[in-house]
Each structure stands twice: as C-alpha cells, then as structure tokens.
Amino acid sequence: MEKTKCLIVGGGPAGLSAAIYTARAGLDTLVLGCAPKIEGDYDIDNYFGFETTISGRDLIERGRRQAARFGADIRCEKVLGIHHGDLGGFKIKTDKGEYQACAVILATGVSRTKPKIPGIADYEGKGVSYCVSCDGYFYKGKPVVVLGEGVFAANQALELLNYTPNVSICTQGKAPTIPAEFLARLDAAGVSVTTDTITALSGQPGLSAVTFGSTETRAVDGLFIAMGEASSTDFAYTLGVARNGQFLSVDSEMKTNIEGVFAAGDCTGGFLQIAVAVGEGALAAKSAISWLKEKCPKG
C-alpha cells in the first residue's frame, strides 16, 4: 500500500489549488482525480488576472502543470472509497490501487446522482442506503440490489459480499461502464448485472420489494445507491463527516468535524465559483499543513 502525507481527492480548481500550497510547503502530496470533464468547454471572463478570455480546459491544465512543478503527484484514478485506518490516518481505495494518508482534502465538487424513483426518499434509512460500510451489516444474508452502472457500483457490490451472498446490480436502464476486470470478479462471485429499470419501491415499515418496469416485482431488503462516481457525500458517510444536505460542513478554516479531513470547493456549498474554489483550496491546504506538522511530522 503506497503512503503519502496529504492526499487530495479531486482534480478541479479547489484540489489543484490545495496541491500547489501543500506541495510548495514540501509535503508529499498526491492528487487523485482526472481532469474534470468539461462538456463543450466554456469561456471564463471573470477570473482574476486574465485580461482576455480563457477556457475552462486551459485553466485546469495550467493548474495541473503548476501543481506538478512544485512536486505534486497527479494521477487520473477514480476514488472508490475512503476509510479510517486501523492505526490512524486514512485508507483510500481507487480503481487502480490502495493508498494510506495522514490527511485528506476532499475537493470533489458536487456529483451525487439520485435515481428518480417515486417515493425513494420515504425509504432512505428504511432499506435505501448510500453507504455499504455504514449499513451493509444490517443486511446479513438478505437480498440486496446495488443501483449503478460503473466501477463505483461494482466496488459497492463486491463489498456487500462480506455481508450477504445475495447481491445483484441494476444499471437503471444505462449501459454498463464496468471495467472487464471488475466484471470478471462479479461473475466469479455470482453477482448479476442487468440493465433493468426500477420503477417502484414497496414494503412497510421498510423496503421489502422493488418493481422492474411495470410487471416484475422482486423481494429485496436493501437498495444501495451507487450511480455515477463516488462523491464527497459518499466519502462523508463512511468517514463520519457532518453534512448539510448534499454539502460538507466546514468551519472558516475548511476543517470538517473529523480530524485530518478537510474540504474545499463546490462540495462545501456556498458561492459555486472557480475563484471561491481556488481560495478555499488554499485555506484547506493551510489548515492541512499546520495539522500535519503537529500530528504527522514523520513518515
């Protein structure tokens, strides 16, 4: 397992800004996250210091080069989960490996994707879950379904096998994007992957069945939502980070309620602008630098 002092999740303005500060301070810094997907690109006219228009893609690329110049290690990897380490620090699992870090800065933006299933909110905490690490234990030996189309869903399904052998994946009508390696592991474990669409949930007082399409109903005790990629909200669930709706709660220094975990950018809410994200990234880095010097001076 590879070790680093400061691990930053997110390759956008907040994450790269934080990386510039931590790397420049001489801290071993690892940034996990591909350059944000910019649909059609876009023009930026209101960012300080650019008298002419700059594209979002160009601004991100400049930030990546600047962080790398100070020594930040930037890797295009999808973070699947973050957990507390057995002996302190944090364990991070990606689609390509595992890491150990003293401090974590969450700068993932806001990407929580919730399915449009009627009444799903009524079953949250009563069969519908967004966190296998938090709730998988309650479904020992019971039938569960993971809703999602990608590697995040595959990883959640494999983790659920620690609690129950009765696991399946439903992509909610989307084409699966699960890598071949994960598909092979799912197949070997007997986890089926279907492109069915869940249209209804039923059961009292908690979930006991899901309906596919307009006819097929299947007995299910747990529905774990893992659509798209893991987001700051998913990591907050497993780490115990306080939230305000879909946003992470931080103080004025970008500290969360969990020691060693900081957050910056859109995942904290507020004024969702690049200038704000960059500033918050700097603040989060400053706090992480001070914390690391005190709590993790060696190693």
Side-chain angles (χ1 to χ4, degrees), residues 25-45:
L27 293 178
D28 187 18
T29 299
L30 175 61
V31 181
L32 296 178
C34 304
K37 184 179 180 181
I38 303 173
E39 299 291 352
D41 210 351
Y42 56 89
D43 291 333
I44 300 171
D45 285 319

Side-chain angles (χ1 to χ4, degrees), residues 51-68:
E51 58 183 292
T52 58
T53 299
I54 185 172
S55 72
R57 182 175 287 107
D58 286 344
L59 186 63
I60 292 295
E61 183 54 35
R62 290 190 184 197
R64 289 171 66 87
R65 291 199 301 265
Q66 187 176 7

Side-chain angles (χ1 to χ4, degrees), residues 131-260:
C131 178
V132 171
S133 298
C134 309
D135 301 327
Y137 175 85
F138 300 111
Y139 297 91
K140 282 189 172 182
K142 297 179 179 179
V144 297
V145 173
V146 176
L147 200 66
E149 73 285 1
V151 65
F152 179 39
N155 185 69
Q156 295 294 279
L158 291 169
E159 188 175 341
L160 275 166
L161 291 172
N162 293 320
Y163 307 104
T164 175
N166 197 340
V167 181
S168 61
I169 294 176
C170 169
T171 70
Q172 199 65 356
K174 295 185 177 182
T177 59
I178 301 172
E181 175 194 349
F182 279 87
L183 283 173
R185 291 171 62 188
L186 293 170
D187 184 60
V191 178
S192 64
V193 180
T194 72
T195 57
D196 295 335
T197 300
I198 295 176
T199 55
L201 309 176
S202 57
Q204 288 295 335
L207 180 69
S208 63
V210 298
T211 300
F212 296 98
S214 58
T215 56
E216 182 190 353
T217 298
R218 184 192 307 172
V220 169
D221 287 298
L223 179 64
F224 288 82
I225 311 302
M227 301 177 71
E229 296 183 17
S231 70
S232 56
T233 308
D234 300 301
F235 306 140
Y237 272 110
T238 55
L239 293 172
V241 173
R243 305 176 304 280
N244 180 15
Q246 65 177 325
F247 301 114
L248 307 189
S249 297
V250 293
D251 64 13
S252 60
E253 297 179 311
M254 313 315 293
K255 299 175 183 177
T256 71
N257 62 307
I258 302 299
E259 273 208 33

